[in-house]
Amino acid sequence: MRGPVAPPQVPLSASRADTFRDLVQDSVERLERRWPQLAEVDFVVLDVPGPLEDSVPLGSALSAGKGRPAQIVVYRRPVEIRTKNRDERALLVHEVVVEQVAELLGLSPESVDPRYGQD
């Protein structure tokens, strides 16, 4: 008899990419309570940044353009490489999201999340 090793609702069946997306979503939901305008922003997870980057960014922010909403991108592989476990990854993901939201809104990261850098 063949079938999945675990049912889809069990965390075992979640891929690393799915787990990472969940971390980003958790961070976004945490910030949306304080900044409701973030509901208009697209949050995207990409594996790696494009080849035109001089350094390896952890995230990027793009302002809204004609016919497209603002977008914040978090790069999964660079974040994963810099962390050892899920807790560290969750902290770094939140920091990246806060930094990119701050850049998009023209604020300091501490204004976006008063607990920024304290974890």
Side-chain angles (χ1 to χ4, degrees):
M1 187 168 151
R2 293 197 177 255
V5 175
Q9 65 272 19
V10 175
L12 177 66
S13 68
S15 70
R16 285 189 337 203
D18 291 338
T19 303
F20 191 88
R21 258 188 239 93
D22 290 344
L23 291 175
V24 172
Q25 187 60 40
D26 290 346
S27 183
V28 171
E29 287 172 2
R30 194 166 133 191
L31 291 176
E32 279 182 337
R33 285 183 228 130
R34 182 176 166 103
W35 302 96
Q37 65 265 43
L38 293 180
E40 304 297 321
V41 177
D42 283 343
F43 288 85
V44 179
V45 174
L46 296 178
D47 285 339
V48 293
L52 301 176
E53 303 288 340
D54 292 336
S55 62
V56 181
L58 301 179
S60 64
L62 299 166
S63 299
K66 190 172 185 177
R68 72 169 173 77
Q71 184 180 63
I72 291 180
V73 180
V74 180
Y75 300 109
R76 182 176 66 88
R77 292 296 297 143
V79 170
E80 287 178 338
I81 289 169
R82 287 171 176 79
T83 57
K84 295 178 185 168
N85 57 46
R86 187 184 195 289
D87 292 338
E88 282 184 14
R89 196 165 300 122
L91 288 173
L92 185 55
V93 163
H94 186 66
E95 284 186 6
V96 171
V97 170
V98 168
E99 289 167 359
Q100 298 310 315
V101 167
E103 183 177 322
L104 190 66
L105 298 177
L107 302 169
S108 70
E110 294 81 9
S111 298
V112 173
D113 184 359
R115 296 185 329 200
Y116 173 79
Q118 295 178 7
D119 295 327

